[in-house]
Amino acid sequence: MDSQPPTLQTMESQPLMLPAPFLQDKSFEFDFDIMKVDPQPLVSAATGLLQQVRSLSSPFHEAFRLELKRNSTTGKWELRLKLLSISWFDCLVSGHGEAHAVTVAMDYVAKCLQEIGERPPIPASDTLIASQTYCSRPADCTFGRTCRNGAHANIFCKELTKDNDGKQSKCNWFVRDELVIAPNIEGYVVMCRADPISELQIAPNPKVLGHFDNNILVTRPDFWRVVFQFIENIELKTTGTHVVEGIAINFGKWETKMSVNPRAVDCHAHAHILINGMMMDELAKGNGWTACAGRTMSPEDYLEKDIRDLQSYRLLFYETKRAREERHELETRVNNLSDAVDKLSSKVENGFLGVKAALDLITAKLFGTNSSV
């Protein structure tokens, strides 16, 4: 490990020197009571992290995730930006060589797996309210209530967005009616996800705020203020402590994964509010949010998936390569040892023949004969 503290540089000028694939603001801890009134310090920190990752080379832009999670010990919130582990590892190899990169990455993976292994799985509840089938393109569909593809949502986005090829199309982001928790909190809509996981989502209601993406979302003080006021509201109405475990905002391929258009470059903004799975049914009963009932399974763990990809697509190759090199080195040592043994045997054999010849000569002189011993 480097003795110098981690620094941020572009891959082209100087490799990243980070012990783990995370960027973290210097003042990464934030007080809840302050943030719900004045979120500007958080806005500045989040904007700074986005600028830092944008200053890195393009492989780091493929996927990253802004996370604001509560420290269970201090109670304060910690802000960090999760980078794609494969890009981080490639950068370590480029700057420090294979051996160093593999050692650092293996240590990182071991720590992550230990953390993940401590999370108990929570099964889905049998009180789940299923979502009906919806038309996936309500902004383009002209059939309305007669649409055979499914129901048309009341909240959907019809503004134009761009994809990777520069083409424009209507956004078509929508919210399933039965999963809406709050349709309009200062212009933001809060909803459950269709799958049975313990997560809420918050997004700009297109009927009120129009369309913008996550790059804009994190820079809006009104968004963060609404989020923390909403968190305070639900935690006051539940018996548990730390009902909300964190907030996550995805970028790149992690953001477009569930999009109607996976190639979109400016998906409709949305943030993930991570809820303690044990509290979802209580939220359903205590607040009348029936959509929360049964949604108790843990959300997809991006950290776990990311380190599994790192293991499969990078570490396995280098571990196999290292094993082959060690086997080759061992074979070389065995061959060298075998050569040394052969040389020693030859010397011993030659020495024995020399001794035998000397004895023959002595015998001949003593007995006047050429007989051999």
Side-chain angles (χ1 to χ4, degrees), residues 62 73 186:
E62 183 180 345
T73 303
E186 298 184 29

Side-chain angles (χ1 to χ4, degrees), residues 3-57:
S3 59
Q4 298 296 320
T7 60
L8 293 173
Q9 301 288 342
T10 58
M11 182 184 267
E12 291 84 353
S13 60
Q14 181 179 349
L16 276 166
M17 293 186 292
L18 293 171
F22 294 101
L23 304 182
Q24 205 159 37
D25 186 79
K26 292 180 180 178
S27 56
F28 62 90
E29 286 191 342
F30 298 88
D31 186 88
F32 182 92
D33 291 331
I34 295 176
M35 286 192 296
K36 70 180 181 181
V37 177
D38 179 20
Q40 189 56 50
L42 177 60
V43 170
S44 299
T47 302
L49 287 178
L50 290 184
Q51 290 174 345
Q52 288 178 6
V53 75
R54 295 299 185 193
S55 73
L56 303 178
S57 60

Side-chain angles (χ1 to χ4, degrees), residues 311-364:
Q311 288 178 305
S312 299
Y313 299 117
R314 290 296 187 274
L315 292 182
L316 181 61
F317 167 78
Y318 283 102
E319 287 175 355
T320 303
K321 181 181 178 181
R322 177 186 288 182
R324 288 175 178 172
E325 291 174 348
E326 290 177 350
R327 185 181 67 181
H328 177 71
E329 182 181 353
L330 180 61
E331 290 175 347
T332 301
R333 289 181 178 180
V334 170
N335 290 335
N336 291 340
L337 180 61
S338 178
D339 291 343
V341 170
D342 290 342
K343 290 179 181 179
L344 180 61
S345 298
S346 177
K347 289 182 179 180
V348 170
E349 182 177 356
N350 291 335
F352 175 76
L353 292 176
V355 171
K356 182 175 183 298
L359 291 176
D360 288 343
L361 180 60
I362 292 172
T363 302

Side-chain angles (χ1 to χ4, degrees), residues 8 146 210 292 301 370:
L8 293 173
T146 62
C292 291
D301 195 320
N370 292 329

Side-chain angles (χ1 to χ4, degrees), residues 76 122 149 302 354:
K76 291 188 176 183
I122 302 175
N149 294 323
Y302 281 80

Side-chain angles (χ1 to χ4, degrees), residues 53-354:
V53 75
R54 295 299 185 193
S55 73
L56 303 178
S57 60
S58 55
F60 289 99
H61 304 167
E62 183 180 345
F64 52 96
R65 177 179 173 95
L66 190 68
E67 300 175 338
L68 183 65
K69 293 191 174 183
R70 181 161 20 202
N71 187 307
S72 58
T73 303
T74 65
K76 291 188 176 183
W77 293 70
E78 299 176 351
L79 180 68
R80 69 181 186 180
L81 193 146
K82 173 70 178 72
L83 298 168
L84 196 64
S85 291
I86 288 178
S87 299
W88 164 75
F89 177 79
D90 290 343
C91 194
L92 282 178
V93 172
S94 174
H96 302 283
E98 295 176 7
H100 175 84
V102 171
T103 300
V104 174
M106 290 291 290
D107 182 61
Y108 164 69
V109 168
K111 291 178 180 178
C112 288
L113 291 177
Q114 183 179 11
E115 177 186 343
I116 293 169
E118 295 174 355
R119 301 173 186 172
I122 302 175
S125 170
D126 56 5
T127 58
L128 177 68
I129 297 177
S131 174
Q132 62 178 319
T133 302
Y134 281 83
C135 173
S136 63
R137 308 194 70 86
D140 297 316
C141 184
T142 59
F143 292 101
R145 292 185 178 181
T146 62
C147 179
R148 296 181 179 180
N149 294 323
H152 276 209
N154 289 320
I155 301 176
F156 64 89
C157 183
K158 56 184 178 182
E159 295 194 30
L160 293 177
T161 62
K162 293 182 180 180
D163 61 20
N164 291 330
D165 299 324
K167 297 179 181 179
Q168 288 189 327
S169 60
K170 291 182 178 179
C171 175
N172 279 300
W173 177 88
F174 68 91
V175 185
R176 292 168 170 81
D177 296 347
E178 63 275 12
L179 300 184
V180 173
I181 297 298
N184 185 7
I185 306 178
E186 298 184 29
Y188 293 90
V189 54
V190 181
M191 73 217 81
C192 288
R193 287 182 50 163
D195 37 4
I197 63 176
S198 57
E199 177 184 297
L200 300 178
Q201 289 188 352
I202 182 170
N205 187 324
K207 293 183 177 181
V208 183
L209 296 178
H211 174 94
F212 51 85
D213 64 11
N214 282 346
N215 290 287
I216 301 298
L217 183 71
V218 300
T219 66
R220 293 180 62 114
D222 64 325
F223 160 71
W224 293 107
R225 186 168 52 251
V226 167
V227 166
F228 284 103
Q229 290 175 354
F230 179 77
I231 291 174
E232 182 181 44
N233 179 52
I234 64 176
E235 293 197 337
L236 287 173
K237 295 182 178 180
T238 52
T239 58
T241 58
H242 297 178
V243 177
V244 176
E245 297 178 340
I247 302 159
I249 303 174
N250 293 324
F251 296 84
K253 68 179 183 181
W254 287 345
E255 177 188 10
T256 60
K257 182 178 180 180
M258 303 299 293
S259 174
V260 174
N261 179 11
R263 295 177 57 80
V265 295
D266 56 348
C267 293
H268 198 87
H270 61 280
H272 305 260
I273 302 177
L274 311 178
I275 307 292
N276 184 325
M278 302 298 292
M279 302 306 299
M280 287 295 278
D281 284 335
E282 184 172 340
L283 288 176
K285 297 174 183 177
N287 295 279
W289 298 342
T290 55
C292 291
R295 288 180 160 78
T296 54
M297 294 182 66
S298 298
E300 179 181 8
D301 195 320
Y302 281 80
L303 176 62
E304 180 177 8
K305 183 182 183 305
D306 188 47
I307 62 173
R308 297 297 185 192
D309 288 345
L310 175 61
Q311 288 178 305
S312 299
Y313 299 117
R314 290 296 187 274
L315 292 182
L316 181 61
F317 167 78
Y318 283 102
E319 287 175 355
T320 303
K321 181 181 178 181
R322 177 186 288 182
R324 288 175 178 172
E325 291 174 348
E326 290 177 350
R327 185 181 67 181
H328 177 71
E329 182 181 353
L330 180 61
E331 290 175 347
T332 301
R333 289 181 178 180
V334 170
N335 290 335
N336 291 340
L337 180 61
S338 178
D339 291 343
V341 170
D342 290 342
K343 290 179 181 179
L344 180 61
S345 298
S346 177
K347 289 182 179 180
V348 170
E349 182 177 356
N350 291 335
F352 175 76
L353 292 176

